[in-house]
């Protein structure tokens, strides 16, 4: 590049030109003065030439920017109050958006934290009646062998591991996987090795890979753990690796061990394994699906007894599988927080408009001395952009606090399998983008108006304002209406979510939630291989638990209400075709301890033991669906009976229905009621289960005593998931609660901003019309009349905003449908309550400045200005 | 107001044309801005009007392209002035542009016909 030429040099050159030209003209016979004038005339506008020279430089825009920034910075410093309010308003909007975006990014936008994670596919089987199930072990082996679309393929099954150590027993949660599974995910242990082919066959030595956190927490981070043996489920097991610290997987597994599948005996009718596979590069999901469909078709024909007719396989990217449960609530709340930012922007735009009304003389003077229209606009936009960037910085600080809160929108087990939620480069880029966007949004309207300054009138007239005039007032009025409308939409959304949350507290769970403590008892399967031994453990445990002072009743069950689990059993009744329904296996005292009501017949008692005839209890939903026309009592259910320590159940045998009980919420308070079968634990014991006790007082306080009881019965049986039923109930609605709280906070912020908007516009109008008010009052208007006149302006804004907001809400809240519980998106009560709230706030916001107007002293007002 | 009454028949120069004429003028040796303006005007027998004000941005542009270079010197009548010299690249550019211009002028002449071409 050529060395930069100074404008001085350029000015000299022009000067030289003029002198040379003057010389020439004088030689032609003009007088000195004539020649000088003619030379100037021929040259034209000297200043403009200089400017054109100046602006031809590439860095001119940069210099203007620096100048504008300088000026903007000075202005912001000069009015710290104004600056604080606008920057803070923008910081709240930007901060909340940044926090939400970090969640949106992790949940919906970015890839999972594995190499080529977009090619990581899960394979689900879809039965003819719909829904997603896993794949049976035998079918998996065939699929694995025959498919050509995948680089790696493995299966996973959730597992709890029983770890015996010198200091007692512990439970580790984790997964059993086939050998190629970790390759499909694309993770290698940080130290040690992965599973090798053949390690997932019967007879292979048991090996385990520890999760990093478990290695730190439960094995003291000891690097010598590699190659050592631990006692897992009563068997010696070699630790072959430790996962990298950065490795994340859903449900935060503590331990990975191999899943042994015996090709000779692997079944084809229990679809309990989930296939993970890495799609080959360049293959589409469609091609892979077509191939898998063909394989399944072959299997269905080759093994008719497997009952695969009409089934299909669904290939779902793991990323999609992880995202789908939270997509709706994340998107809805992201939209809500976007509304908050919009309201914040409108608010700041309004403040800027009000201020530019005050600044109009300054702008007019600048225009008069030659600042071009674009130059003025650029300066104002620079001011607002600077403000927004400051707001962005504040927003990032706020987001540091808000992001952990926002991330609770994703349930913990899922969050553990996503990229970590936090503020990183991508999120900061987003913040910068929305900051600049906000800067333009808030600056555009004032800048546009300022650029249309009518110089003549302003400079002539010392008059009040151009922007405070009718046009400006209408504009500001309009902006507040928009604010109010947006705020109302948020309020309605938050109100609906809050009412849904409230609806959960009126849910009848079907049992008494108070004063119940539950804990999962994990018995090592290796030692409890015989039914008698399991029964003996349960009997001892219950006897001792019932003897603890403060315990009113105790029971064991495979699962407890609200935790969402049940076995699934195929049964036959009245000679009709086989059906499948949930099964709960419980001890006597179960219904009494939990407070589940009896509708017909009797509860189980201690005599319904292994020696007695097999009995069952069903719930009302079951009767409604399967025994609507019969008397339930005395009917026989034909079901398979489990055999302790055996993989496969025995042959179907009859069970007599002796009682009908009330329905219970099994899967959380919001879940649907399920037909359920109960059988006594004594007649088909399962290893492990949940102990529940009803206590006289605070159940949480009883936990240590009951832990001691378990330890007393068997030192090597760990206890996990100790919680009260009330905690379980609360936990089961934690997602709706988080949603409602977040929406409510957004709505409150929106409401405050809208109120500030109304307050600002009315205050400004009052300040502008002090003189008018003074005249009115001097002519006999009563303060009350002045008050009403002013209030009317506020109410009009609120009313118009309300009308638009209600229309908008009707259109938008339909999107909430799936997030609502027992509340319609058009719930009239919600609309009425939030509208009333909004009007009340609007009246208050308008009343404060209006009162000031009504108290105007006419003599002061007339001297005003 | 740059234009005087007697200027109304003169042709206001397009930007590219002005560049070409400046380069053409400098073929005869270094010249300062006022001299360039005067030469263009005289050589065209006053048919071409050079807005002196727009001459300088043009010179600036040509300098940045590297087609001319400038240095301060002293004029015939002992005034300090900035003298422009055609560079080698400028010469090549002139040849290229002049050829193009002539072809264009000839083409326009053919389209307009012999009579109106003279006007």
């Amino acid at each position: 590049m050529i060395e930069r030429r100074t404008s001085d040099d350029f000015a000299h050159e022009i000067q030289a030109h003029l002198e040379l030209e003057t010389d020439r003209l004088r030689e032609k016979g003009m007088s000195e003065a004539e020649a000088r004038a003619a030379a100037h005339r021929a040259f034209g506008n000297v200043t403009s030439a200089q400017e054109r020279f100046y602006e031809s430089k590439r860095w001119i825009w940069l210099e203007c920017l620096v100048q504008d920034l300088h000026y903007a910075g000075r202005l912001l410093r000069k009015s710290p109050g104004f600056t604080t309010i606008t920057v803070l308003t923008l910081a709240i909007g930007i901060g909340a958006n940044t926090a939400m975006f970090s969640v949106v990014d992790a949940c919906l936008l970015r890839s999972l934290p594995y190499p080529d994670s977009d090619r990581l596919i899960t394979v689900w089987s879809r039965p003819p009646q719909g829904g997603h199930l896993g794949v049976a072990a035998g079918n998996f082996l065939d699929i694995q062998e025959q498919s050509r679309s995948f680089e790696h393929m493995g299966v996973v099954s959730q597992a709890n591991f029983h770890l015996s150590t010198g200091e007692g027993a512990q439970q580790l949660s984790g997964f059993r996987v086939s050998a190629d599974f970790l390759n499909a995910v694309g993770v290698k242990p940080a130290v040690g090795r992965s599973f090798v082919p053949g390690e997932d066959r019967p007879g292979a030595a048991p090996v385990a890979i520890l999760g990093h956190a478990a290695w730190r927490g439960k094995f003291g981070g000891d690097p010598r753990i590699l190659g050592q043996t631990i006692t897992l489920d009563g068997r010696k097991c070699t630790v072959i690796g430790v996962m990298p610290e950065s490795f994340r997987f859903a449900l935060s597994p503590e331990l990975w061990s191999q899943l042994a599948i015996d090709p000779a005996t692997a079944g084809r009718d229990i679809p309990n394994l989930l296939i993970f596979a890495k799609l080959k590069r360049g293959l589409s999901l469609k091609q892979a699906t077509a191939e898998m469909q063909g394989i399944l078709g072959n299997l269905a024909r080759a093994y008719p007894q497997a009952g695969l007719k009409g089934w299909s396989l669904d290939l779902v990217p793991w990323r999609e599988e992880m995202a789908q449960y939270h997509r709706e609530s994340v998107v809805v709340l992201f939209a809500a927080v976007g509304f908050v930012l919009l309201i914040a922007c409108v608010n700041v735009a309004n403040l800027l408009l009000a201020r530019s009304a005050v600044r109009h003389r300054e702008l007019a003077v600048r225009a008069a001395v030659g600042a071009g229209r674009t130059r003025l606009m650029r300066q104002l936009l620079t001011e607002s952009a600077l403000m927004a960037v400051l707001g962005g910085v504040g927003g990032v600080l706020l987001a540091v606090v808000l992001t952990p809160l926002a991330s609770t929108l994703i349930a913990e087990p899922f969050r553990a399998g996503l990229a970590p939620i936090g503020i990183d480069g991508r999120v900061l880029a987003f913040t910068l983008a929305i900051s600049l966007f906000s800067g333009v949004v808030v600056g555009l309207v004032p800048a546009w108006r300022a650029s249309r300054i009518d110089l003549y009138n302003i400079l002539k007239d010392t008059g009040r304002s151009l922007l405070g005039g009718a046009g400006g007032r209408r504009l500001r009025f309009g902006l507040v209406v928009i604010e109010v409308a947006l705020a109302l939409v948020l309020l309605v959304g938050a109100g609906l979510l809050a009412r849904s949350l409230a609806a959960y507290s009126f849910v009848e769970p079907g049992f008494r939630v108070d004063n119940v403590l539950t804990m999962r008892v994990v018995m090592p399967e290796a030692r409890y291989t015989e039914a008698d031994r399991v029964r003996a453990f349960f009997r001892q445990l219950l006897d001792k638990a019932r003897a603890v002072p403060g315990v009113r009743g105790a029971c064991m069950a495979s699962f407890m209400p609200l935790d969402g689990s049940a076995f699934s059993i195929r049964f036959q009744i009245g000679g009709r075709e086989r059906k499948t329904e949930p099964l709960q296996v419980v001890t006597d005292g179960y219904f009494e301890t939990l407070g589940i009501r009896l509708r017909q017949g009797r509860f189980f008692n201690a005599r319904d033991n292994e020696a007695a005839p097999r009995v069952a209890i069903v719930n009302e939903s079951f009767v409604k669906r399967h025994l609507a026309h019969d008397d339930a009592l005395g009917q026989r259910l034909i079901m398979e009976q489990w055999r302790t320590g055996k993989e496969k159940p025995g042959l179907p045998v009859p069970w007599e229905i002796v009682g009908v009980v009330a329905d219970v919420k099994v899967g959380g308070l919001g879940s649907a009621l399920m037909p359920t079968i109960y059988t006594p634990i004594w007649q088909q014991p399962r290893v492990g289960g949940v102990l529940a006790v009803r206590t006289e007082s605070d159940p949480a306080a009883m936990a240590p005593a009951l832990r001691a009881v378990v330890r007393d019965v068997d030192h090597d049986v760990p206890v996990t998931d100790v919680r009260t039923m009330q905690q379980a109930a609360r936990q089961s609605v934690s997602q709706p609660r988080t949603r409602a709280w977040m929406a409510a906070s957004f709505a409150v912020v929106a409401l405050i901003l809208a109120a500030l908007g109304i307050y600002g516009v009315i205050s400004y109008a009052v300040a502008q019309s002090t003189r008018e008010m003074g005249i009115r009052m001097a002519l006999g208007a009563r303060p009350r009349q002045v008050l009403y006149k002013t209030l009317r302006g506020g109410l009009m804004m609120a009313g118009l905003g309300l009308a638009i907001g209600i229309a908008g809400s009707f259109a938008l809240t339909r999107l909430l449908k799936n997030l609502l519980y027992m509340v319609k998106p058009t719930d009239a009560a919600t609309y009425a309550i939030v509208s009333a709230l909004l009007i009340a706030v609007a009246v208050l916001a308008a009343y404060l400045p209006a009162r000031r107007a009504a108290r105007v002293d006419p003599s002061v007002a007339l001297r005003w200005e | 107001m740059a234009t005087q009454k007697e200027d109304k028949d003169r042709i206001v120069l397009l930007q590219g044309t002005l560049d070409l004429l400046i380069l053409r003028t400098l073929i005869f040796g270094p010249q300062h801005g006022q001299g360039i303006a005067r030469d263009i005007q005289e050589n065209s027998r006053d048919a071409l009007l050079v807005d002196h004000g727009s001459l300088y941005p043009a010179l600036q542009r040509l300098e940045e392209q590297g087609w001319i270079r400038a240095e301060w010197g002293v004029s015939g009548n002992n005034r300090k002035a900035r003298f422009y010299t055609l560079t080698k690249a400028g010469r090549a550019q002139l040849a290229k542009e002049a050829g193009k211009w002539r072809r264009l002028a000839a083409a326009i002449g053919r389209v307009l016909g012999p009579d109106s071409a003279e006007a």
Side-chain angles (χ1 to χ4, degrees), chain A residues 2 5 9-10 12-14 16-17 19-21 23-24 27 41-44 49 52-53 56-57, chain B residues 1-2 4 32-34 38 42 51-54 56 60 63-64 72 75 77 79-82 84:
Chain A
I2 297 179
R5 210 176 145 196
D9 190 71
F10 188 73
H12 282 141
E13 184 176 13
I14 291 173
H17 174 103
E19 277 159 12
L20 285 164
E21 184 70 8
D23 287 349
R24 186 179 74 98
E27 275 165 28
R41 245 191 339 264
F43 196 92
R52 263 147 66 196
F53 161 74
S56 73
K57 298 291 184 191
Chain B
M1 292 274 154
Q4 292 164 269
H32 51 68
Q34 187 261 346
R38 200 186 53 215
E42 284 172 359
D51 176 356
H52 294 187
S54 61
Y56 287 93
Q60 182 68 26
E63 200 179 334
E64 273 174 24
W72 285 91
S75 75
N77 52 0
R79 290 223 182 255
K80 233 183 128 205
R82 202 159 184 263
Y84 294 90

Side-chain angles (χ1 to χ4, degrees), chain A residues 349-634:
Chain A
N350 228 335
L351 285 171
L352 283 175
L353 260 184
R355 196 175 64 148
S356 60
V358 179
R359 278 177 69 186
H360 69 278
R361 281 187 71 84
E362 171 214 327
L363 294 174
V365 169
R366 292 167 64 99
V369 298
R373 197 156 275 185
T374 47
R375 187 74 182 70
L376 271 186
M377 274 188 82
R378 201 160 59 188
Q379 187 211 318
L380 288 172
L381 280 179
T382 309
E383 277 175 41
S384 55
L386 179 65
M387 219 179 270
V389 168
L390 287 176
V393 172
V396 170
L397 296 179
L398 194 64
V400 171
V401 183
L402 293 181
T403 302
L405 293 177
S407 66
T408 58
L409 198 56
I410 314 281
E412 220 294 318
F414 286 88
R415 220 186 312 149
L418 297 172
I421 298 175
I423 296 166
D424 56 11
R426 287 165 66 101
V427 175
L428 287 178
F430 172 81
T431 311
L432 184 66
I434 57 168
S435 300
L436 292 178
F437 167 79
S438 313
V440 172
V441 168
V442 305
L444 210 53
V445 175
W448 178 73
R449 282 192 68 87
S451 73
R452 291 163 48 97
I453 275 178
D454 176 3
L455 276 185
Y456 177 72
N457 277 324
I458 299 171
L459 293 178
K460 182 192 74 172
D461 186 13
T462 57
R464 294 209 306 259
S465 65
L466 72 165
L467 296 165
R473 212 171 301 156
R474 261 203 306 279
L475 192 57
R476 308 193 54 213
F477 186 94
L479 287 178
V480 172
V481 168
I482 294 175
E483 259 185 276
V484 171
L486 289 173
L488 187 90
V489 174
L490 282 186
L491 279 171
V492 168
L496 291 172
L497 290 173
R499 272 182 62 91
S500 299
L501 182 61
Y504 287 113
S505 60
F506 297 117
V507 165
E508 182 51 60
F511 66 101
R512 282 174 52 211
V513 173
D514 61 302
N515 284 358
V516 175
L517 181 75
T518 66
M519 54 183 68
R520 178 160 287 280
V521 176
V522 190
M523 297 149 71
E525 293 196 23
R527 281 200 290 117
Y528 288 92
T529 49
E530 286 145 38
D532 282 339
R533 201 147 171 212
V534 178
R535 278 191 284 257
F537 174 84
F538 286 158
R539 287 196 170 111
Q540 264 190 52
L541 182 61
L542 287 184
D543 285 345
K544 291 199 170 169
R546 284 170 183 151
V548 173
V551 169
R552 287 215 182 132
C555 66
M556 282 286 300
S558 298
F559 305 103
M560 283 292 160
L562 298 182
D563 73 358
S565 301
F567 296 116
S568 180
I569 186 102
R570 280 202 270 191
F571 67 92
Q572 229 179 349
I573 195 164
R576 294 189 286 272
E577 67 174 304
R578 285 169 98 190
K579 301 265 178 54
T580 305
E581 292 294 4
L583 168 73
Q584 302 282 359
V585 181
V586 304
T587 63
D588 49 274
Y590 174 83
F591 301 103
E592 296 91 327
T593 305
L594 294 179
I596 298 172
R597 281 180 299 276
L598 184 67
R599 297 298 190 216
Q600 264 184 295
R602 63 171 177 90
F603 287 141
F604 293 139
N605 57 44
R607 287 180 306 281
D608 292 320
N609 58 20
E610 56 273 33
R614 285 176 296 269
V615 290
I617 290 177
V618 294
N619 68 359
E620 288 177 300
S621 291
F622 185 94
V623 171
K624 218 176 286 167
R625 186 179 291 179
H626 300 289
L627 294 165
H629 309 294
D630 309 283
D631 184 11
L633 296 183

Side-chain angles (χ1 to χ4, degrees), chain B residues 25-85:
Chain B
T25 307
L26 290 179
I27 267 202
F28 305 109
Q31 184 59 282
H32 51 68
Q34 187 261 346
I36 293 169
R38 200 186 53 215
D39 284 355
I40 291 172
Q41 226 153 308
E42 284 172 359
N43 288 339
S44 68
R45 280 174 241 117
D46 280 345
L48 296 179
L49 168 75
V50 180
D51 176 356
H52 294 187
S54 61
L55 181 66
Y56 287 93
L59 286 168
Q60 182 68 26
R61 207 162 47 234
L62 294 174
E63 200 179 334
E64 273 174 24
Q65 300 275 11
W67 292 334
I68 58 177
R69 59 168 190 273
E71 56 196 359
W72 285 91
V74 180
S75 75
N77 52 0
N78 239 351
R79 290 223 182 255
K80 233 183 128 205
R82 202 159 184 263
F83 281 81
Y84 294 90
T85 315

Side-chain angles (χ1 to χ4, degrees), chain A residues 78 90 122 140 156 158-159 429 431 457 463 547 569 646 704 713 726 745 807 810 846:
Chain A
K78 242 169 63 183
L90 289 173
T122 52
F140 158 66
V156 59
Q158 211 193 324
T431 311
N457 277 324
I569 186 102
K646 300 271 168 60
V713 176
Q726 238 141 8
S745 349
F810 266 115

